[in-house]
Amino acid sequence: MRWLRLVFRIFGWLLTPFLAWAASFFGAVGGALIAMRIRDPVDGLAVTALCGAATGFAAIIGWLHYLRQSPEVREVLAVTEDGTPDTVALALPGTGSTAE
């Protein structure tokens, strides 16, 4: 079952970029709705890109803030307080599950 836990941890690590991608997508859609009212297409593209980048960045900041505040989520995902994977905990033989 150790491999199953590793699969879920990898999925959890991939959750961060997926969250940012989804937020930037919906931010860009919102920016495109705003950009429809702008006459210059270049300015409209800039508004769309800016809204997408801002919401993606805000989602990453919010997710990292949540990771810093929640020790349970950090333990489940095996990440440190700054959001990087805790490879030391994965490498030590005594820290994993004893049932294999």
Side-chain angles (χ1 to χ4, degrees):
M1 289 311 231
R2 186 175 183 163
W3 62 271
L4 186 60
R5 186 178 340 149
L6 181 64
V7 168
F8 282 124
R9 279 191 179 159
I10 291 172
F11 176 74
W13 292 339
L14 293 176
L15 185 63
T16 302
F18 179 76
L19 181 74
W21 171 79
S24 65
F25 174 78
F26 288 115
V29 168
L33 292 173
I34 295 170
M36 288 183 351
R37 301 170 197 259
I38 299 174
R39 291 189 149 256
D40 187 20
V42 175
D43 290 342
L45 284 174
V47 166
T48 301
L50 184 66
C51 287
T55 55
F57 184 73
I60 287 292
I61 295 300
W63 176 249
L64 289 176
H65 178 72
Y66 179 68
L67 278 177
R68 287 186 186 110
Q69 299 300 318
S70 175
E72 296 88 13
V73 175
R74 281 196 314 261
E75 182 181 341
V76 168
L77 296 178
V79 295
T80 61
E81 255 187 66
D82 61 351
T84 58
D86 188 11
T87 55
V88 174
L90 292 174
L92 295 176
T95 59
S97 174
T98 57
E100 289 188 18

